Amino acid sequence: MTGRRRVHRTSAAALCLLLAAPACGGPVTDPELAGVQRLLDRRAAAVLGHDRAAYARTGAPAGFDALGAVPPAAWSYRVTRLERDGDAATAEADLRYRVEGYDPGAVTARRTVRLVRDVGGQWSVAGERPAPGAGEQPWDQGEVRAVHGERGLVLGVGRGTGELRGLADLADRAVPAVSDAWGEDWPRRVVVLAPRSLEDMARLLGSPPSAYRDIAAVTTGVTGGREPAPADRIIVNPEAYALLGDRGRQVVLTHETAHVATRRATTAATPLWLSEGYADWAAYRGGPSAPADAAPELARAVREGRAPVRLPADGDFGSDGGPRATARAYEGGWLACRMIADRWGEDRLGAFYRAVGAHGRREGAVAEALDTVLGTTPERFTRDWTEYLRASLA
């Protein structure tokens, strides 16, 4: 599963008005904003320099130890708003950071910084937290432990080193497996976040826990565009993940790694049956699972004469129809991608995926790619898929 976010940008004119407007205890002047910016610049430099003493001189030192295991290649703040109330203030800022060796671009996290002013008129940081509506960062939840693999970095809070090492080993196997299927036109490295609980996972995502209760892991990132995504994070749900066996855990990590690999080729034109089906195909590829074992809900439907007559719609992947309906949607997407690989070849499956994502709009993207890459039509493809389901799952 992969997360998609929309970013709403404030215009430059509106931002200037916001900074100049009276706020709580009085008007905010540009020198005050500049002073807070310099303070956060020093704080960022202390993080990059691993200088605890310099960090403490900017204010509250509590966060420094929590993020000590995170290897930052870049760390900076940009103040976007400042509200003052006497000798206290609140700043809204964009934190931009990049993990050394893993992130092709900087991650942006919206932060709220509380400030206090001393008798000499100098600001210092009293605390920092996610801005309203923004997800937490791992170090917001406690001291971060880091385990490096050959192809993966695992960042955990409240988890044992052995658990984190196990995740790193799975990531090290997932990355070459996905590269063998998709190709090597992606960073071929992943960052895995291992929170201590489902609730902590949900806070990282800025969503309620109920949205992820039955999901073993998700991948977050920005889809589309010619440039690489700034960063992808595979976030593990410790409760659901713990229920899986060794094979299931490897399938989950490989599935999420496939989302990282296909990120640049995944756009608004890509239907979920293709993005989720391809990730499952990469995860099961070369494994021992028979179709009926890997797609039990769809196999049951076929045996009971309830085989689907259309490809899964995006809405079928939600929870409204219940877990069995959601499972049938994922299984149907997997078997569609499996059929393409079986009949047209694995290279053609990758070309089909890229062709759909390269389409300028959602309407007509699949039909055009079916025609140009596979030489078929949506009607014929759907008919072939329903026959493939019956033959594979009967």
Side-chain angles (χ1 to χ4, degrees), residues 165-313:
R165 170 53 60 192
L167 284 168
D169 291 343
L170 292 175
D172 284 346
R173 291 193 288 271
V175 168
V178 170
S179 292
D180 189 52
W182 178 253
E184 298 191 351
D185 58 338
W186 65 292
R188 289 175 289 157
R189 298 174 75 82
V190 293
V191 177
V192 182
L193 305 185
R196 67 166 62 87
S197 67
L198 168 62
E199 288 70 24
D200 283 350
M201 176 200 187
R203 283 193 287 269
L204 291 172
L205 294 159
S207 300
S210 59
Y212 304 101
R213 192 169 304 280
D214 298 319
I215 297 173
V218 299
T219 302
T220 64
V222 180
T223 59
R226 296 182 179 180
E227 297 301 319
D232 286 283
R233 301 287 184 262
I234 297 172
I235 307 177
V236 174
N237 174 0
E239 297 179 12
Y241 190 79
L243 301 177
L244 300 173
D246 291 343
R247 170 65 175 159
R249 294 178 182 184
Q250 186 65 70
V251 165
V252 166
L253 258 294
T254 307
H255 174 108
E256 301 304 332
T257 299
H259 282 312
V260 178
T262 59
R263 179 71 67 207
R264 290 180 64 183
T266 306
T267 69
T270 310
L272 286 179
W273 73 258
L274 180 56
S275 61
E276 297 297 343
Y278 186 92
D280 268 349
W281 172 79
Y284 286 119
R285 176 177 175 265
S289 298
D293 294 332
E297 292 300 330
L298 207 49
R300 180 180 295 109
V302 169
R303 289 196 303 270
E304 294 174 355
R306 296 182 292 106
V309 295
R310 62 165 177 82
L311 288 160

Side-chain angles (χ1 to χ4, degrees), residues 3 10-11 19 22 38 115 138 151-152 156 182 191 195 197 212 216 226 231 247 325-326 330-331 336 361 365 382 386:
T10 303
S11 70
L19 294 176
R38 288 193 296 272
L115 303 147
R151 290 291 180 180
W182 178 253
V191 177
S197 67
Y212 304 101
R226 296 182 179 180
R247 170 65 175 159
T326 301
Y330 277 90
E331 294 165 4
R361 61 187 186 279
T382 301
T386 58

Side-chain angles (χ1 to χ4, degrees), residues 14-23 26-30 33 82:
L15 185 60
C16 291
L17 290 172
L18 186 62
L19 294 176
V28 174
T29 64
D30 286 344
L33 181 66
L82 183 64

Side-chain angles (χ1 to χ4, degrees), residues 47-224:
V47 171
L48 288 172
H50 306 284
D51 190 336
R52 193 180 195 283
Y55 190 90
R57 286 194 292 271
T58 67
F64 187 85
D65 291 335
L67 60 86
V70 179
W75 193 281
S76 65
Y77 295 91
R78 184 178 68 86
V79 180
T80 59
R81 175 175 178 155
L82 183 64
E83 293 185 352
R84 195 188 70 189
D85 186 6
D87 288 331
T90 300
E92 300 293 332
D94 289 336
L95 167 63
R96 289 173 57 82
Y97 72 93
R98 185 163 55 87
V99 174
E100 179 80 47
Y102 289 89
D103 295 338
V107 181
T108 299
R110 295 185 297 111
R111 308 291 286 177
T112 297
V113 182
R114 292 181 294 108
L115 303 147
V116 294
R117 186 153 51 187
D118 62 22
V119 293
Q122 299 299 310
W123 292 110
S124 63
V125 176
E128 180 184 334
R129 65 180 185 273
E136 292 182 348
Q137 299 298 315
W139 51 88
D140 292 323
Q141 301 180 350
E143 184 174 353
V144 178
R145 290 182 177 177
V147 171
H148 294 262
E150 292 182 6
R151 290 291 180 180
L153 170 65
V154 182
L155 302 177
V157 176
R159 308 288 295 275
T161 302
E163 293 178 279
L164 304 184
R165 170 53 60 192
L167 284 168
D169 291 343
L170 292 175
D172 284 346
R173 291 193 288 271
V175 168
V178 170
S179 292
D180 189 52
W182 178 253
E184 298 191 351
D185 58 338
W186 65 292
R188 289 175 289 157
R189 298 174 75 82
V190 293
V191 177
V192 182
L193 305 185
R196 67 166 62 87
S197 67
L198 168 62
E199 288 70 24
D200 283 350
M201 176 200 187
R203 283 193 287 269
L204 291 172
L205 294 159
S207 300
S210 59
Y212 304 101
R213 192 169 304 280
D214 298 319
I215 297 173
V218 299
T219 302
T220 64
V222 180
T223 59

